[in-house]
Amino acid sequence: MMGRLFSLIVALLPQHRLSRVVHGLARWRWRPWKNELIRLFTRIYGVDCGEAAASEPNAYVSFNAFFTRPLAPGARPLAEGENRIVSPVDGVISQHGPISDGRLIQAKRQDYSVDDLLGGDPQLAGPFRHGHFATLYLSPRDYHRVHMPMTGSLQRMLHIPGRLFGVSPPLVRHVSRLFARNERVVTLFDTAAGPMAMVLVGAIGVGSIETLWSGEVTPPRGQRIRSWDFRHYPLTLEAGAEMGRFNLGSTVILLLADPDVRWSPTIGLEQPLRMGQALAETRAAEDSGAGPGEGDHLRD
């Protein structure tokens, strides 16, 4: 009952207006403000600043610079293995497993379609309808840069406008189709194991989402889906390379077209993950011999 009431209150909030306010405050460079905010945030959420490249508040020009702080070299070693898929983020696994006839599990008695998640384009969604997915939630204390789970060649990017519901577990359990309704940035890659999508989902208070190649994608706000085509000049990123970041917030949904993905036996629901930790293995690379960019996986 309380969860439903909480979701109703969040639905009535001016989500985008509040997020714009947070966007500005997180970038305010007045030293007393940002230093005290960093100290307070660190204390409340138990942030481990010892892993960061710089641990003192004065090292950051704004709270947002602290929130998206880089880690010290060697803090996140990558799991080894030719066909290994690693976690792209620090966080917890909300859900993972096979995509059943184009539908993903959001929470108990809640699901949504891969078509809706990818902006209603059935051609983009087609390769993933019988693949696998993982939903990875980043809490406020986590490292908020997003990395490549495997080597891939960027093919497409979409900005899909929408709501900004929070993505905390209570809301995920009670807001129908939350991830397919929230604003999000969809990135589509070609890999040795076939198509892969990484969906960076916005949330209330998430000031913006950035990618390595385009900088800040959100804001601006809008009502239309924006799309970028990189197929004629693809960008290849190695496993473990940074591909984006959340400026406050949120959730990453990883989609894999390969139906033969084998999830690591060491992971489980609500289990903490660190970027670079073994997430799954794929057999498609062994069978097909295809490399990044080979094959026409993502057609118009």
Side-chain angles (χ1 to χ4, degrees), residues 17-220:
R17 192 175 306 159
L18 286 172
S19 295
R20 286 195 292 272
V21 171
V22 173
H23 183 276
L25 290 176
R27 287 161 176 75
W28 195 12
R29 297 191 175 197
W30 187 45
R31 183 172 293 180
W33 157 262
K34 60 93 177 174
N35 282 356
E36 185 56 32
L37 187 57
I38 290 171
R39 292 190 186 100
L40 183 63
F41 184 89
T42 300
R43 185 165 61 249
I44 290 174
Y45 289 105
V47 177
D48 183 2
C49 292
E51 296 184 324
S55 59
E56 292 299 318
N58 280 328
Y60 301 98
V61 298
S62 66
F63 176 76
N64 188 70
F66 164 76
F67 195 85
T68 59
R69 60 196 175 278
L71 295 178
R76 295 293 184 274
L78 296 185
E80 297 180 355
E82 184 178 353
N83 302 316
R84 187 63 51 84
I85 300 170
V86 301
S87 175
V89 295
D90 284 8
V92 298
I93 302 176
S94 298
Q95 296 288 338
H96 77 286
I99 299 171
S100 179
D101 197 25
R103 301 198 71 81
L104 297 77
I105 297 172
Q106 176 174 299
K108 188 176 181 180
R109 295 188 295 275
Q110 294 274 11
D111 68 0
Y112 60 102
S113 74
V114 67
D115 294 57
D116 287 345
L117 181 66
L118 300 185
D121 187 332
Q123 289 186 310
L124 289 183
F128 302 105
R129 288 200 179 99
H130 300 284
H132 285 255
F133 81 102
T135 303
L136 308 170
Y137 167 66
L138 290 72
S139 72
R141 65 173 293 173
D142 288 321
Y143 168 66
H144 273 74
R145 298 193 180 195
V146 184
H147 295 252
M148 293 292 290
M150 60 193 305
T151 299
S153 177
L154 178 66
Q155 304 291 300
R156 301 280 293 273
M157 181 175 79
L158 292 85
H159 167 230
I160 304 173
R163 301 296 304 273
L164 286 175
F165 289 105
V167 292
S168 63
L171 285 168
V172 170
R173 288 194 295 267
H174 290 98
V175 178
S176 174
R177 300 174 49 255
L178 186 152
F179 299 127
R181 295 167 65 184
N182 268 20
E183 182 173 23
R184 54 206 181 275
V185 173
V186 175
T187 58
L188 295 143
F189 293 88
D190 204 7
T191 77
M196 176 185 77
M198 295 179 69
V199 183
L200 281 61
V201 182
I204 191 166
V206 179
S208 72
I209 299 171
E210 295 183 23
T211 63
L212 176 73
W213 53 89
S214 295
E216 195 171 56
V217 182
T218 69

Side-chain angles (χ1 to χ4, degrees), residues 254-267:
L254 174 64
L255 303 179
L256 301 162
D258 182 6
D260 295 321
V261 164
R262 296 168 291 184
W263 295 101
S264 172
T266 62
I267 65 170

Side-chain angles (χ1 to χ4, degrees), residues 238-278:
E238 299 295 321
E242 182 183 343
M243 59 79 60
R245 65 184 68 173
F246 288 110
N247 297 305
L248 306 183
S250 177
T251 290
V252 172
I253 301 174
L254 174 64
L255 303 179
L256 301 162
D258 182 6
D260 295 321
V261 164
R262 296 168 291 184
W263 295 101
S264 172
T266 62
I267 65 170
L269 296 185
E270 303 305 324
Q271 176 184 319
L273 278 176
R274 288 162 70 90
M275 193 284 289
Q277 182 179 336

